[in-house]
Amino acid sequence: MSKQIQPVRGMNDVLPAEIGAWQHLERVARGVFEAYGYAELRVPIVEHTELFKRSIGEYTDIVEKEMYTFQDLGGDSLTLRPEATAGIARAAISNGMLRGARHKLWCLGPMFRHERPQKGRYRQFYQFDLEALGFPGPDVDIELIALTVRLWQALQLKRVRLTINSLGTPEARASYRERLQAYFRSHESGLDEDSRRRLEGNPLRILDSKQPAMRALIEGAPLLSDYLDPESQAHFAALRAGLDALGVAYEVNPRLVRGLDYYSRTVFEWVTDALGAQDAVCSGGRYDGLITQLGGEPTAAIGFAMGVERVVELLLQAGSLPPAATPEIYIVANGERAEREALRLAEQLRDALPGRGVLLNLGGGNFKTQFRRADRSGARLALILGDSELDRGVAAVKPLRREDGQTDCPLSELPARIASLL
Ligand code: HAM
C-alpha cells in the first residue's frame, strides 16, 4: 500500500456527522442576517498581500507571522485571506459600490492563519462576516449588536457575554500611543521580546499580550478611555445608552484593543466560558478610516466576524440542535428483475413525494443484509420488492419503527399509502 497522505495541520474535515450543526447554524444565521437587511456576497479567498498589510497592519500578529503568503506563477505576492473585512472593503471599492451609497453585506467562508493549532484555534477556520458600509453610527453599532443578541437567542445559546470598548479616533489614539510608549519605555526591562519589538511600531499591541509575565505591567498602563476625544466619548455614550434601552447586557472592558489595526471608536467581543482558552466567538468594531486607506472615498463602516467552529462547538455542548434528517423510505429489492424495477420505482416516488428521502438498496444482498441497512439508515418505512410482489403488481410496505405488520399495496397506490403512513 502507498503511504497515506496526511491532512494539513490545523485544517479540518467537516464530516457528515457534524454537518447538521453547521447547516443549522447557517440556516438560522442567514435568516437573522436577512431580517436586518444584510445581503450575501462572495469574495475571493486569495488577495494581493499588500491588501492585508495595509489594512490589518504591519505590526499585528496576523501580518507579522500568520499569513499564508506565496508567489504565484506570474510573480505576484498573494495571500490566503486571514479575515474577510479587507477583502470586502476592497470589493466595495473595486466594484464602485460606494459613492455615497450604503451597503449591509455578509459572507461566509474559510480564513487562513498560521497559528499554533489547539482546540478552537485552527489554521483554516470559517467565519460569518458582516459589514455595514456607509453608516457612521452609533445607531448601526447598536443594531449590529442587537443582531448578534437575536442570533444567540435563535440558536438558544446562553453562555456568551458581551464586552465593549471605544478606541477613539486615530488622532486620540496617537496621543494615547505616545503616552503608552513612554510608560512602556520606562519599564523596558520588563517587556518580553514581542512587546519590545512592538514598542516602536505599535505599542497598543502590547496590551494584547497574553504572556502572564506581562500582566502586571499591562494592568498598570494608562487607559485609552482617559484619552478619548469628545466625539468618540459621545459616540460611546450613545452606544451604551442604546444597548441599555434594548436591555442588552454588556461589560465595558477598557483593555479590549483587538488584534487588527483598522479599528476606530466602537469595538466589541462576545466571549464564552465554555470553550477554554479560545473564548472569543464573535468580534468586531468600527473601521471608519479603512476604506480611505485602501484608496476608496471616505466611508464610515462597522462589522464583525464570528468563528463558525467555535459557535458549532457551543451548539453541540448546549445540545440545542434540531434532529438530524434521515431518509424516510428504504427500498429493499431481491432478484435481478426486482432490482431493475426498484430503480424505476424509486424515481417515481421521488417525483410523487418531493422532499421525502427515498433510499434504494444498492449493491444487492440477501433480505437480512438489506433489512439491516434499512434499519441503520434510520428510514421509517421499508418497501419490499421481490418476484412474488412483482407478479402481483404490488410492493410490501413495512413500518420499521412501529410494530404494525407488513401489508401489500398496489404500485399505483404507493404514494398515497406512504403519505398516509409517514
Ligand atoms: P478576529 O477577532 O480576528 O476579527 O476574528 C473574529 C472571530 O473569528 C474570532 O472571534 C473567533 O471566533 C474567530 N477566529 C479567529 N481566529 C481563529 C482561529 N485561528 N480558529 C478559529 N476561529 C478563529 C476579524 O477577523 C475581523 N475581520 C472582524 C471584523 C469584521 N471586524 C470588522 N468587521
Side-chain angles (χ1 to χ4, degrees):
M1 259 205 298
S2 329
K3 192 164 169 269
Q4 278 185 19
I5 295 184
Q6 298 302 311
V8 179
R9 184 153 180 255
M11 306 209 178
N12 301 312
D13 305 304
V14 182
L15 301 177
E18 307 148 48
I19 206 75
W22 286 66
Q23 288 172 343
H24 173 64
L25 171 57
E26 282 174 40
R27 241 186 331 267
V28 172
R30 201 175 272 273
V32 172
F33 301 163
E34 280 168 7
Y36 285 77
Y38 284 78
E40 184 177 0
L41 89 166
R42 299 183 188 187
V43 290
I45 287 175
V46 174
E47 297 275 358
H48 289 289
T49 305
E50 183 61 19
L51 173 68
F52 302 116
K53 287 195 175 160
R54 249 158 79 181
S55 53
I56 299 171
E58 298 262 11
Y59 292 95
T60 56
D61 274 351
I62 297 179
V63 170
E64 274 185 345
K65 47 189 185 196
E66 294 172 0
M67 296 211 298
Y68 282 89
T69 295
F70 61 97
Q71 217 178 49
D72 77 354
L73 296 177
D76 288 334
S77 176
L78 304 181
T79 294
L80 296 184
R81 62 181 181 196
E83 59 109 50
T85 311
I88 293 177
R90 195 271 313 135
I93 300 168
S94 332
N95 292 290
M97 290 164 68
L98 298 170
R99 306 196 178 114
R102 313 193 301 175
H103 296 277
K104 285 173 155 183
L105 304 168
W106 72 269
C107 83
L108 165 66
M111 310 295 153
F112 303 84
R113 295 183 194 176
H114 197 273
E115 295 192 80
R116 200 163 43 77
Q118 55 174 256
K119 189 174 159 53
R121 187 166 71 194
Y122 309 108
R123 290 182 173 173
Q124 176 182 284
F125 58 96
Y126 281 72
Q127 280 185 347
F128 275 114
D129 186 282
L130 266 81
E131 310 293 351
L133 309 180
F135 298 85
D139 49 2
V140 77
D141 311 30
I142 300 161
E143 190 193 63
L144 198 64
I145 291 175
L147 176 157
T148 56
V149 172
R150 187 170 297 277
L151 183 60
W152 306 137
Q153 281 167 354
L155 293 169
Q156 298 178 357
L157 292 180
K158 298 196 174 74
R159 286 175 74 176
V160 285
R161 59 190 179 77
L162 174 65
T163 58
I164 60 172
N165 192 22
S166 175
L167 299 183
T169 56
E171 296 74 33
R173 234 177 15 260
S175 65
Y176 172 64
R177 193 189 126 114
E178 274 174 29
R179 185 66 204 82
L180 197 64
Q181 224 161 18
Y183 169 81
F184 283 124
R185 267 199 205 115
S186 67
H187 296 85
E188 203 165 344
S189 57
L191 296 180
D192 63 8
E193 201 188 308
D194 263 355
S195 304
R196 216 164 281 166
R197 203 179 49 247
R198 285 172 179 175
L199 184 57
E200 298 312 317
N202 192 348
L204 259 78
R205 273 293 79 71
I206 301 177
L207 300 176
D208 240 12
S209 168
K210 304 280 186 293
Q211 295 302 323
M214 293 284 301
R215 198 167 299 150
L217 203 55
I218 291 172
E219 287 291 317
L223 286 178
L224 174 55
S225 46
D226 297 334
Y227 292 79
L228 281 192
D229 53 290
E231 289 78 18
S232 295
Q233 272 175 20
H235 192 109
F236 195 47
L239 168 67
R240 292 196 313 264
L243 294 177
D244 291 339
L246 292 181
V248 175
Y250 60 87
E251 183 194 314
V252 175
N253 174 5
R255 306 265 171 220
L256 179 66
V257 289
R258 307 275 300 120
L260 306 95
D261 279 354
Y262 47 61
Y263 292 111
S264 52
R265 294 195 170 149
T266 307
V267 288
F268 64 96
E269 197 151 86
W270 283 95
V271 291
T272 176
D273 62 3
L275 296 181
Q278 304 309 314
D279 62 351
V281 288
C282 170
S283 341
R286 177 160 284 288
Y287 51 95
D288 294 338
L290 176 65
I291 291 175
T292 336
Q293 217 172 299
L294 295 176
E297 52 263 68
T299 308
I302 183 168
F304 69 76
M306 187 182 299
V308 174
E309 286 81 356
R310 295 183 191 178
V311 178
V312 163
E313 182 59 31
L314 288 182
L315 285 170
L316 294 172
Q317 278 187 24
S320 51
L321 288 170
T326 47
E328 294 175 293
I329 302 153
Y330 193 100
I331 304 180
V332 166
N334 195 251
E336 232 174 81
R337 202 171 124 226
E339 283 177 14
R340 234 183 1 257
E341 235 356 84
L343 271 166
R344 227 159 49 92
L345 178 64
E347 292 305 329
Q348 279 170 359
L349 291 178
R350 290 175 185 130
D351 285 340
L353 301 164
R356 300 267 187 212
V358 179
L359 262 195
L360 178 58
N361 180 74
L362 298 169
N366 60 29
F367 272 125
K368 197 168 157 221
T369 308
Q370 295 199 36
F371 272 108
R372 200 169 50 238
R373 289 181 189 146
D375 195 46
R376 284 205 192 124
S377 75
R380 289 159 65 198
L381 275 186
L383 302 184
I384 305 148
L385 282 185
D387 283 340
S388 102
E389 282 79 15
L390 287 182
D391 290 342
R392 286 179 289 132
V394 301
V397 180
K398 181 175 161 55
L400 292 170
R401 314 287 150 193
R402 296 197 306 251
E403 288 308 311
D404 311 11
Q406 176 175 322
T407 50
D408 284 346
C409 174
L411 292 177
S412 60
E413 290 168 25
L414 267 179
R417 173 74 67 86
I418 292 169
S420 77
L421 285 171
L422 286 177

